[in-house]
Amino acid sequence: MAMKDVPDNVFMTSLDAAASWARANSLWPMPFATACCGIELMATASSRFDLARFGAEVMRFSPRQCDLMIVAGRVAMKMLPVLQRIWLQMPEPKWCISMGACACTGGVFDTYAVVQGVDRFIPVDLYVPGCPPRPEQLMAGIIALQDKIKHGGTLNGTEFGKRTQPTGPAPYDLDELIRIREANEKLVALN
Amino acid sequence: MSTEEALKSQFPQAGLVFSQFRDNHRIGVPAAQLMDILTFLKNVHHFDMLAELTAVDYLEYEGSKDRFGVVYVLVNTQSGERLVLKTHVNDPDPVLPSVYPLWKAADWLEREVFDMFGISFSGHPDLRRILSPDEFTAFPLRKDYPLKGRGERHNFPVLTRSDG
Amino acid sequence: MPFEVSELAEMDAPDKEYLWTLNFGPQHPATHTTLRLILTLDGETVVNAVPHIGYLHSGFEKLGEHLDFNQYVTIVDRMNYISPLHNEISWHHAVEKLLGIELTPRCKYLRTILAELMRIQDHLLNTGTCALDLGGFTAFLYFFQQRELIYDIVETASGQRFHTSYTRVGGVAFDVNNAWVDKVRSFVKGFGPVHAEVHRLLTRNRIFIERVKGIGYLSAEDCINMGVTGPLARASGVLRDLRKDEPYLAYADLDFKVIAAKDGDCYARYLVRMQEMLESIKIIEQCIENIPAGPVNVDAGTKAVIPAKPSVYRSIEGLIQHFEVMMPNRGFPTPKEEIYAATESPNGELGYYIVGDGSPRAYRARTRPPSYIHFAVFPQIIKNHQLSDVVAVLGSLNIIAAELDR
């Protein structure tokens, strides 16, 4: 078909790019809000900051309807299996934002009960720092994620299946192993 | 008659230790007498609210003779009077009578003390772990448990992008 | 209310096979954060509810034993995160009682204003989300706008809009300026009309009333026996308010009423919270016009406060004291004593039991969390209600998961 036959209101694009464009601009977040960051997430969605301007205001609490998980707040060891289960329940293609210092690294809660960063156990696409991040910062994060989605996505999401290696730090990194060994030695010495 | 005088005349042999710090009126109570004294305070002196029940592990505390202290804060809602009672229990089998029959508020508070310190309360209707996972074995607020744990926090499978 | 074994056996009986079990949470919009309930249902009627908590247990109290009295303020902030500053005020109230520090009049007034702003902030979110869960989105948006104004006020004072870490032992991090006073004044002026508007939206709204009136009844005797305090107890007719009963900060000088109701249901709790916001506005109005002049921190001679910057730069004593307070291995001495001190937080009695061992860290920093005590009441008051009432009752109890689990 020659170019001159195409009317002005028809665009030529690849299907992959069109799908990525549509996905990026209608993200449906699943707010996995556990703590303080959840309140800032609420603030982001409500009147002053109005997340609707970026096409991501349709908060759905059912993981089956969502394509963006926002982990807002610290994840305790009792909660992590729940987080993993919800992540597995979300349909592909899906993305994950780790919002706030606690979700990214454990933050100030370097204690026995808090997972030191959710990226050790689930894949994370984007980190939003802050304790808690301001709504502006979360929105900047969502815009950055939209850019990321627009580049390199495929129609049927085959690129995700190829990523079989975990991207985060190892759950038991060297520091943690040393700490556990010291704790166990102390325990043996006490008994 | 003040509560202190009443307690002294009612329980002359109990060995109660009265003290005051700032506005806290404190009574040290032997564990054997605890239930009698609490029942007396509730039924006769109208200490009808249990505001707080907690424990302290005195393992590393300078000059302490006992391992655990258990603290009860009682309030008389009519006069606004507060009392802080403290009793001690020791290893290897720290047990206290449950005050659940007197104040229902003790239900979860005692479960928390059990979960965090391993002090059990005899007569409690449902003494299970409350904050930690069921399979947790340590008692985190004991002083011999390290702040960063013994590796329990990272004992989970890792998911990659290709899973699910 | 524990789950009685005899009841359990009864439910497993063959003629009770029609009962079914519903898992509610830990990830559910109406829980706001992380709670889990196992509900046993007869059709739509809740026969039994067993709460499972601890999904946000993060070891606050253990951390309190490893951080000094000023550092731990950053952690208590994150406990009741819808009124963060009130936690700080409560924590330092307890610490100052342990150390025997009497605040300056200016600091007392300043903290009173902030505490009342936090009370408004808490009630705004609680009432707003309660309405949101019951289908009224508008009230939530109106109230969230007011919350943003309070965020602005605390940001002007402290530099952070959410977790301020503003108070210090013996005072606050830095004094407020005139711009802050103007912001508080304009907030106080603008709050009334918005409050009245939400009042018109909800208080006589047929749909809202049908969902909350007569739901979740709690008697005054049960409140006292189960340790319930704050707006929940006052909605059941328990006239207890630590601001009046054991006055702290500047409350003894101020003229305000204790709001109470008799009904003890969700609607009464809603009304008490709505009215308390107006009382808080009244308190702020009185305080903001009467803030005493003078220093905001106590005299540097008490050895526990960070000295003013000019004295750090210009005198050797000031410099030494600054280092003593700031260095992690130094700090100020504390008495080898134990104390329980409580304040009236927006949610109820927020108490701290601190054991001092002479070092600058607490040997034990126990929090008496009102949410924890209030959630224990839930199984009792939800019995024989409909499934949809679970949301209304959870909303009116105002359970904050981080405070619940710590």
Side-chain angles (χ1 to χ4, degrees), chain A residues 77-78 80-81 84 92 94 110-112 114-116 120-121 123 125 160-161 163-164 166 171-172 176 179-180 187 190, chain B residues 116 130-133 136 140-141 144-164:
Chain A
M77 58 176 169
K78 206 170 173 180
L80 191 82
Q84 288 189 326
E92 293 280 5
K94 59 190 173 187
D110 194 358
T111 63
Y112 57 90
V114 180
V115 173
Q116 301 296 299
R120 289 170 198 249
F121 298 103
D125 292 281
F160 295 127
R163 296 197 219 151
T164 50
Y172 290 107
E176 183 86 353
R179 249 192 327 254
I180 294 168
L187 187 68
L190 269 172
Chain B
M116 292 288 138
I130 185 161
L131 294 176
S132 317
F136 206 66
L141 280 182
D144 53 10
Y145 187 77
L147 170 67
K148 291 168 190 177
R150 299 196 179 112
E152 296 94 336
R153 63 183 179 187
H154 286 163
N155 191 11
F156 299 99
V158 180
L159 296 183
T160 65
R161 240 357 250 263
S162 57
D163 291 325

Side-chain angles (χ1 to χ4, degrees), chain C residues 4 8 10 29 32 40 61 71 82 89 91 107 118 162 165 199 202 231 255 267 304 312 320 339 358 386:
Chain C
E4 278 164 27
L8 190 69
E10 208 173 279
H32 296 291
T40 309
E61 289 174 12
Q71 288 170 331
I82 63 175
I89 291 166
W91 165 248
C107 182
M118 287 302 123
F162 204 93
S165 305
H199 211 51
L202 291 178
D255 168 38
Y267 189 57
V312 176
I320 289 171
I339 195 142
Q386 300 292 300

Side-chain angles (χ1 to χ4, degrees), chain A residues 29-35 41 60-63 69-72 79 82-83 86-87 89, chain C residues 23-37 55:
Chain A
M30 151 89 212
F32 191 87
T34 55
L41 189 59
R60 282 290 177 273
F61 290 89
S62 164
M69 174 184 265
I70 301 180
V71 184
M79 196 66 182
V82 181
L83 172 68
I86 289 180
W87 171 253
Q89 282 175 348
Chain C
N23 179 42
F24 187 98
Q27 174 60 32
H28 185 277
T31 63
H32 296 291
T33 36
T34 49
L35 332 160
R36 184 175 171 213
L37 300 166
Y55 288 92

